[in-house]
Amino acid sequence: MNIVTLVENTAGRVGVLAEWGLSILVDVDGLKVLLDTGQSTSVVHNASVLGIDLSIIDKIVLSHGHFDHTGGLRQLLSAMRKQVEIIAHPDIWDAKYVQRPGEKSHSYIGIPFQKDELESLGASFTLTNEPLWISDNIVTTGEIPMLTDYEKIDANLYVKREGAFRPDPLRDDMALVIKTDRGLVIVAGCAHRGIINTLRHAQKLAGVETIDTVVGGTHLFRAAEDQIELTIAELKGFGIQRLGASHCTGFRASVRLAEEFGDVFFPNNTGTHLQLP
Ligand SMILES: [Zn+2]
Ligand SMILES: [Zn+2]
């Protein structure tokens, strides 16, 4: 199995571009599945620098409807030049906003395109809140139940409905789960509903306890100190062999993860290529 990070906030190789966003290509079971598309043009640029032909992508999965995971869709679909299935939760099309502390108004952070434009470029959407098996070993989490008492949805995030801003439950948040002989490989977008909730749900869904590898975002960058510490304490119990957290993990949580996990932790940035046996 190969996992290549096409877009992340920082650049880890010569020639690739970094932007606030995420896009990770998973090559397993003869299938090439792209989780997310970054924020804008870097996914297409970086694929070319890394020697990846985008037309080989079989399916796209969107981890949620924020712009930094979906904003590359227009360029990507134009470059792919074919029909492609896009798997996501129906709520990706909610009108998503952020209002950070001290800001006077809400800013739009949802998908920066209309659905029909993307369809005219070849997108064929499969929208479901249920887990979806892409092959015998690859499944999307579908909606992730929030079961831990310390993992909270970022309170700065909103949806606009009938003119009113309400807290965004981020029901659309999901991850990719891959079954391997060594245990589960989890590829997360932002883990808005909690990385521990995501891992527990993946174990249940796949019927596998061992979690071998976790890559992607953990959305700890605005989390309270106690959420970070409780998350780390519980993460340590999974016996993870590779922990490539980045994107919305943030500096503070990354430092703590590096301290606690030693060589198991690595900042999974643009250009990172993981080859798993
Ligand atoms: Zn997000
Ligand atoms: Zn994000």
Side-chain angles (χ1 to χ4, degrees):
M1 175 182 1
N2 288 285
I3 301 177
V4 179
T5 298
L6 287 176
V7 179
E8 198 272 327
N9 306 23
T10 54
R13 282 184 57 165
V14 173
V16 294
L17 296 175
E19 66 179 357
W20 177 272
L22 199 67
S23 175
I24 299 179
L25 182 63
V26 177
D27 181 354
V28 63
D29 285 356
L31 270 178
K32 288 162 186 75
V33 181
L34 185 71
L35 181 79
D36 296 338
T37 68
Q39 183 189 145
S40 64
T41 60
S42 65
V43 66
V44 173
H45 173 87
N46 292 344
S48 135
V49 170
L50 297 169
I52 293 167
D53 173 8
L54 290 169
S55 69
I56 58 159
I57 292 171
D58 297 296
K59 312 235 183 226
I60 297 171
V61 175
L62 299 176
S63 69
H64 62 300
H66 283 152
F67 72 106
D68 54 327
H69 297 253
T70 58
L73 274 169
R74 180 192 279 150
Q75 278 242 346
L76 174 66
L77 291 167
S78 306
M80 286 173 69
R81 298 175 153 276
K82 67 172 191 183
Q83 285 290 125
V84 63
E85 184 184 10
I86 301 184
I87 300 162
H89 188 286
D91 289 3
I92 60 163
W93 292 106
D94 281 353
K96 292 176 178 288
Y97 285 79
V98 66
Q99 187 180 26
R100 300 173 195 89
E103 288 181 349
K104 287 199 177 61
S105 55
H106 297 77
S107 315
Y108 180 75
I109 54 164
I111 301 178
F113 312 113
Q114 300 296 318
K115 194 169 172 224
D116 54 5
E117 181 194 352
L118 299 177
E119 284 167 343
S120 75
L121 292 169
S124 161
F125 284 92
T126 301
L127 300 177
T128 174
N129 55 4
E130 297 294 325
L132 201 146
W133 287 91
I134 295 172
S135 73
D136 288 347
N137 297 307
I138 315 173
V139 64
T140 65
T141 57
E143 213 165 292
I144 296 168
M146 294 195 68
L147 302 175
T148 60
D149 53 8
Y150 57 87
E151 291 183 301
K152 306 265 187 302
I153 304 259
D154 185 333
N156 299 281
L157 303 173
Y158 295 86
V159 276
K160 192 177 183 183
R161 256 183 227 125
E162 289 141 16
F165 292 101
R166 304 164 204 276
D168 187 348
L170 264 302
R171 273 190 281 266
D172 46 331
D173 178 79
M174 59 182 190
L176 268 185
V177 179
I178 302 138
K179 285 167 89 166
T180 77
D181 296 340
R182 311 156 60 97
L184 298 179
V185 173
I186 313 292
V187 186
C190 274
H192 278 293
R193 286 171 74 87
I195 190 69
I196 302 298
N197 285 328
T198 305
L199 299 187
R200 294 243 177 272
H201 181 59
Q203 285 176 318
K204 215 169 146 189
L205 184 61
V208 175
E209 277 290 306
T210 312
I211 295 188
D212 180 70
T213 299
V214 178
V215 294
T218 62
H219 210 79
L220 291 169
F221 82 118
R222 278 198 289 251
E225 204 68 46
D226 66 322
Q227 181 177 340
I228 295 177
E229 292 309 320
L230 289 165
T231 298
I232 289 173
E234 200 157 346
L235 262 183
K236 288 184 88 173
F238 287 98
I240 296 166
Q241 299 300 306
R242 271 170 297 264
L243 176 58
S246 57
H247 181 46
C248 49
T249 298
F251 187 70
R252 205 157 44 101
S254 297
V255 168
R256 288 290 298 122
L257 289 167
E259 279 172 356
E260 295 290 335
F261 283 88
D263 289 343
V264 166
F265 174 80
F266 58 98
N268 185 69
N269 50 27
T270 313
T272 301
H273 183 174
L274 279 184
Q275 218 165 352
L276 305 182

